[in-house]
Amino acid sequence: MVLDTPSLYFRAFYGIPESITAPDGSPVNAVRGLIDMIATLVRKHSPAELAATMDADWRPAFRVAAIPTYKAHRVAHGNTEVVPDALVPQIAVIQEVLDALGIARLESAGYEADDVIGTLTHRSGGAVDIVTGDRDLFQLVDDARPVRVLYTVRGIRNLQIVDEAFVTAKYGVPGRAYADFATLRGDPSDGLPGVSGVGEKTAAALITRFGSLEALLEALDGGVTDGFPAGSRTRLAAARDYLSAAPAVVKVAHDAPLPAADLALPAKPRDPEALVRLADRYGLDGPLNRLLDVLGG
């Protein structure tokens, strides 16, 4: 099981009142929420291995170089992401808690959590469950292994299981083609413009007809006119530069450099004394005891 940790702690932060505080009055809603999420996931799915991925770089330079608007609307200043003031200090606490528990926490300089997830998934020879609220990771689903996304859109207790059949039913394309489909459609939440005038239905029709973005571009450059929905060929030609650059942004990396890590689910805390200190300082006894009970069981 691979956790898109930023996706989960943002969800916890917005889903749990900021009135949930530590003894000193500092907010711990995201910390407590994430711990309880992990306990629920482990209890329901019993993974043998668990990795919590992090953003070493939420807006990598290679993606900005390809598409300058990538996440630009979420920049506070410089290359700092807009993050609620009450969440910022909780991220460091989350990292300390994970480390004290012995849950593998992985990041890679110059890459996002998505890329760490893509790399771990690529390296794994067996089944992988990816827990995220990010549709971009639908591109990794693979029924043959299987690789699934446990999508948090309806909450951690009511996860949407996303496999290739789900992607095909919802978007009209094979799971392996989701990145190409998303490139055509665009994603305003990430600052990806897509092709003007090409929505989900047209994007799905194009991918279905040509099989991949690469094949579509070969047909476009080769003067092929058949198979393009009305008006789409002109729109695609106008967006040719974008379509050349966008795959580097949309596709998650499979080769991010990662440190060696023990992904085995910990049966007991790696650093019990540190965990006790964290529990006392931030008032985490309840959620930590629930998680430790699940891990120890």
Side-chain angles (χ1 to χ4, degrees):
M1 176 172 284
V2 186
L3 308 180
D4 180 358
T5 314
S7 172
L8 296 182
Y9 64 59
F10 268 99
R11 182 176 188 85
F13 177 80
Y14 287 113
I16 298 173
E18 287 183 44
S19 57
I20 304 299
T21 59
D24 66 0
S26 59
V28 290
N29 54 330
V31 182
R32 293 178 66 97
L34 179 66
I35 295 169
D36 277 331
M37 285 179 178
I38 296 173
T40 298
L41 289 163
V42 172
R43 183 174 62 252
K44 287 191 172 183
H45 299 277
S46 302
E49 296 182 313
L50 182 66
T53 68
M54 306 292 290
D55 284 328
D57 190 339
W58 73 282
R59 192 171 179 250
F62 72 90
R63 289 195 167 101
V64 176
I67 303 287
T69 58
Y70 181 62
K71 294 185 178 179
H73 60 297
R74 289 156 57 183
V75 174
H77 54 83
N79 197 40
T80 303
E81 183 180 14
V82 176
V83 177
D85 290 342
L87 175 57
V88 173
Q90 295 190 64
I91 297 172
V93 179
I94 286 167
Q95 294 174 336
E96 290 183 71
V97 168
L98 291 172
D99 291 348
L101 284 165
I103 293 174
R105 179 171 62 85
L106 293 172
E107 59 184 45
S108 183
Y111 292 91
E112 300 177 59
D114 284 9
D115 301 308
V116 178
I117 292 169
T119 301
L120 287 171
T121 301
H122 182 71
R123 289 181 181 179
S124 173
V128 179
D129 280 343
I130 299 164
V131 186
T132 184
D134 186 351
R135 292 183 301 172
D136 291 343
L137 292 167
F138 290 2
Q139 64 187 273
L140 297 177
V141 300
D142 180 353
D143 288 354
R145 294 180 48 189
V147 177
R148 311 182 302 175
V149 167
L150 308 185
Y151 191 40
T152 62
V153 67
R154 299 188 304 197
I156 207 74
R157 298 181 184 277
N158 191 23
L159 294 166
Q160 183 95 58
I161 306 299
V162 177
D163 54 13
E164 290 188 59
F166 176 94
V167 174
T168 300
K170 185 166 181 64
Y171 300 107
V173 298
R176 63 184 177 278
Y178 184 83
D180 290 347
F181 163 83
T183 298
L184 293 169
R185 179 200 61 197
D187 188 346
S189 68
D190 279 343
L192 295 173
V195 178
S196 178
V198 172
E200 288 196 351
K201 289 184 178 179
T202 302
L206 287 164
I207 294 301
T208 300
R209 166 63 179 84
F210 294 101
S212 68
L213 180 60
E214 182 180 6
L216 186 158
L217 294 179
E218 288 178 1
L220 184 69
D221 295 343
V224 174
T225 57
D226 293 339
F228 290 91
S232 64
R233 196 180 192 288
T234 301
R235 296 187 181 100
L236 292 164
R240 187 64 179 80
D241 289 345
Y242 161 79
L243 291 172
S244 295
V249 177
V250 178
K251 292 185 177 181
V252 301
H254 290 172
D255 57 355
L258 297 178
D262 181 4
L263 304 185
L265 201 67
K268 58 183 180 180
R270 175 187 295 147
D271 190 338
E273 292 183 2
L275 199 61
V276 169
R277 288 196 300 271
L278 289 164
D280 290 344
R281 179 176 179 183
Y282 297 104
L284 303 175
D285 284 339
L288 281 175
N289 284 333
R290 288 190 288 274
L291 177 54
L292 290 171
D293 284 345
V294 174
L295 293 173

